[in-house]
Amino acid sequence: MKNPAYKHLIPKPVRVAEGEGVFSLTPSTRISVQAGQPGALQAGQYLADLLRSLTGLALPVEENVQAVEPGCICFTSQGASSAGGEEGYLLEVAQQQVVFRAQSFSGYFYGCQTFRQLLPAAQGPWQIPAVRIQDYPRFAWRGVMLDVARSFFPPAEVKRLIDLFASYKLNRLHLHLSDDQGWRIMINSWPKLALHGGSGAVEGGRSGYYSQEEFRDLAAYAHSRGMLVVPEIDMPGHTTAALASYPELNRGGAAPQLYTGRKVGFSTLAAELEITYQFVADVLGELAQLTPGPYLHVGGDEAHSTTAEEYRLFLERVHAIVAGTGKRLIGWDEIIQAGLQPTDLVQIWRKDTQPREAVRQGAQVIMSPCQHAYLDMKYTPETELGQDWAAIIEVKDAYLWDPVTVYPGIKEADIAGVEAPLWTETIYTLRAAEYMYFPRLLGIAEMGWSPREGRSWEEYRLRLAAHGPRLAAQNVHFYHSPQVPWQEG
Ligand code: TNX
């Protein structure tokens, strides 16, 4: 087969070895999962659903003791390499059968994503040249952020994005749930946050909030796609929507109006008021209950109207509250100044920040350098959507950086991984969000998953070109960068 799809995989796998022959999906293809193997049945059913809607084939799923049989797509832990960890997989495509070998659902799930990319974008014949792929991630944290606070994104849209994100092996969905312009999650003990704060948005953006049931459902949906939801409540700055909802949170007891502007840095919770910590404990307590993952993101960025002393005092109390929920604290890199706990994760975003100071204090870092990873930045000066304060970020600029060398004094082991944020001061619709994420997010996903060696922009752009028809087949509204020699459908 000319130009086989295994040459265009994104993220690029660790090892690919060409085999002999071709595997075909046929009306008699069955899916066979190892009985009693955690995650195998779930992954088998996931793949059956995916392939049924693509091909119209029946693809029955069977549980078997001996899972590997000719004519099957098989899921088994036998022969899975332990080197790859929970998320690693071995995928063997042979003329007679396909075998996924992994230790857990996420390993099988990522094998399925690779398998999907080996099939044609939209139309049969449903054939794959024989190939053996061994694969596992470089970093544990492969994140993407959606700012639902400036402009709200309803659950159905977030689910579509989750499917797209997970197909590139991203595993963290960071939801920025509160900001000056809006509050997006119902907190039962402080209902006006959502009822009043949720009615706001940046000018032009959408208002709304997630009920607790919707949020739980979103987290469960993400989980079924290998993604952990990381909820963020931004504090002590970026809090106008909360301050507008409860006068008693304000110094002087008067609530401000809801805010629809773009400029931030003026609002703050009152570090000296005890009710502030009642509020924080109630909000984070409910959020911890709603969130299956082990992390709570507390923001901490751009608190320009909080003094250094107030900021330290506030973060000290917040650290204790988060510890009380049993979760790990994450904050933007400003929290380095407040003093860190070794369990903290620090999300690095500013160009001139010092991640090694976080590492010195024992924390790990998540790399989101604004000049490369901020997907609300314009592609070119002419891009209608987005901002340009951090950089102009073409597809190449989003790809050509490395998490270890982007800041001085950092080692691979200091880094939990990478994350691409999408701030939504100018991004109000799913279509607009897709345009900013895609295709830059594929490069960030590859940075999080694939080894440094053996990759370059010159070969990446050719692989990316093959994803144009794949994105188009899913009706993704993406930027057709002139840097990429896009393939026709
Ligand atoms: C800076 S990045 C912010 C956000 C804005 C973004 C716009 C960060 C931690 N704070 O509040 O939305 O710039 O690009």
Side-chain angles (χ1 to χ4, degrees):
M1 209 174 273
K2 245 183 61 207
N3 215 2
Y6 58 74
K7 300 209 164 151
H8 303 137
L9 293 167
I10 296 178
K12 189 173 191 168
V14 173
R15 258 188 289 286
V16 177
E18 233 171 83
E20 296 263 318
V22 172
F23 175 82
S24 301
L25 281 174
T26 72
S28 58
T29 305
R30 294 163 296 138
I31 294 182
S32 166
V33 307
Q34 184 187 349
Q37 158 66 9
L41 182 60
Q42 193 191 343
Q45 275 158 350
Y46 166 81
L47 187 67
D49 286 343
L50 190 76
L51 297 183
R52 280 173 195 147
S53 59
L54 184 67
T55 65
L57 296 171
L59 298 165
V61 180
E62 303 158 359
E63 271 194 282
N64 284 320
V65 181
Q66 201 45 292
V68 180
E69 293 165 8
C72 280
I73 298 176
C74 321
F75 291 75
T76 178
S77 64
Q78 290 159 23
S81 129
S82 58
E86 291 266 294
E87 294 184 310
Y89 66 90
L90 190 60
L91 168 55
E92 298 161 345
V93 179
Q95 183 143 348
Q96 292 301 320
Q97 83 244 331
V98 172
V99 188
F100 295 95
R101 303 183 193 274
Q103 299 175 40
S104 73
F105 171 73
S106 49
Y108 292 124
F109 181 80
Y110 294 131
C112 292
Q113 298 315 321
T114 298
F115 186 75
R116 174 65 191 91
Q117 286 190 22
L118 295 175
L119 288 165
Q123 254 159 17
W126 305 110
Q127 294 183 332
I128 303 181
V131 67
R132 181 178 190 275
I133 296 174
Q134 186 179 8
D135 206 11
Y136 48 83
R138 177 180 177 190
F139 292 112
W141 191 285
R142 304 180 304 281
V144 53
M145 192 205 84
L146 179 62
D147 171 8
V148 295
R150 273 52 179 269
S151 186
F152 183 62
F153 286 75
E157 296 184 2
V158 179
K159 287 182 180 177
R160 165 169 165 90
L161 289 172
I162 288 172
D163 281 335
L164 292 168
F165 298 158
S167 73
Y168 291 101
K169 303 187 174 77
L170 293 163
N171 68 355
R172 304 282 185 265
L173 175 64
H174 170 181
L175 291 174
H176 184 74
L177 290 169
S178 72
D179 213 299
D180 286 310
Q181 298 86 348
W183 184 283
R184 306 296 178 214
I185 176 76
M186 173 51 79
I187 299 297
N188 292 332
S189 52
W190 297 72
K192 284 189 276 182
L193 293 169
L195 296 175
H196 184 65
S199 71
V202 77
E203 191 182 348
R206 292 182 285 177
S207 58
Y209 64 87
Y210 306 118
S211 70
Q212 295 207 344
E213 199 183 316
E214 285 170 330
F215 186 84
R216 277 187 211 277
D217 177 61
L218 264 187
Y221 189 83
H223 191 73
S224 76
R225 300 293 184 264
M227 296 190 93
L228 276 181
V229 166
V230 178
E232 177 188 353
I233 298 295
D234 203 347
M235 56 180 114
H238 293 265
T239 40
T240 304
L243 295 167
S245 304
Y246 286 96
E248 57 270 43
L249 289 175
N250 296 266
R251 291 175 176 143
Q257 296 289 304
L258 287 171
Y259 176 71
T260 61
R262 288 189 192 173
K263 277 215 164 70
V264 292
F266 56 87
S267 59
T268 185
L269 293 172
E272 76 285 7
L273 296 183
E274 204 46 40
I275 192 171
T276 293
Y277 303 104
Q278 187 60 52
F279 164 79
V280 173
D282 289 344
V283 168
L284 295 183
E286 287 192 37
L287 204 54
Q289 290 288 316
L290 289 172
T291 303
Y295 307 102
L296 290 179
H297 200 309
V298 299
D301 58 313
E302 300 174 312
H304 301 318
S305 51
T306 319
T307 67
E309 200 188 322
E310 288 165 351
Y311 190 82
R312 259 193 303 278
L313 169 69
F314 180 79
L315 255 295
E316 198 178 304
R317 297 285 301 265
V318 171
H319 260 113
I321 291 169
V322 172
T325 68
K327 306 278 187 186
R328 284 176 67 176
L329 181 143
I330 308 180
W332 297 103
D333 63 48
E334 284 92 334
I335 70 165
I336 297 172
Q337 299 134 235
L340 302 174
Q341 302 285 323
T343 51
D344 291 353
L345 287 178
V346 180
Q347 188 164 10
I348 304 298
W349 69 282
R350 294 176 297 176
K351 290 179 195 168
D352 57 355
T353 205
Q354 291 294 339
R356 66 180 151 195
E357 181 49 33
V359 170
R360 196 188 59 74
Q361 296 184 51
Q364 267 200 322
V365 295
I366 299 164
M367 289 300 183
S368 302
C370 60
Q371 68 274 29
H372 297 292
Y374 267 34
L375 301 188
D376 60 319
M377 293 300 126
K378 293 175 183 289
Y379 288 96
T380 73
E382 288 72 43
T383 309
E384 268 178 54
L385 302 166
Q387 310 203 54
D388 60 6
W389 64 263
I392 297 287
I393 306 181
E394 244 292 2
V395 174
K396 183 176 179 180
D397 308 305
Y399 185 74
L400 261 195
W401 62 285
D402 187 76
V404 178
T405 54
V406 64
Y407 295 93
I410 294 293
K411 300 188 305 301
E412 180 110 2
D414 302 328
I415 301 172
V418 296
E419 186 175 303
L422 182 67
W423 303 100
T424 56
E425 287 94 338
T426 66
I427 316 292
Y428 313 137
T429 63
L430 177 64
R431 208 176 137 77
E434 288 181 2
Y435 188 80
M436 301 309 272
Y437 279 130
F438 300 100
R440 288 181 291 195
L441 187 61
L442 279 64
I444 308 283
E446 174 152 303
M447 198 136 347
W449 181 281
S450 307
R452 180 70 277 219
E453 315 78 60
R455 297 192 281 118
S456 70
W457 164 251
E458 281 310 318
E459 62 88 28
Y460 173 72
R461 66 194 271 277
L462 300 180
R463 280 187 286 127
L464 182 55
H467 287 255
R470 293 181 177 276
L471 293 169
Q474 297 170 88
N475 293 316
V476 175
H477 180 58
F478 67 100
Y479 167 60
H480 287 73
S481 167
Q483 298 180 327
V484 180
W486 298 105
Q487 290 183 12
E488 296 296 315

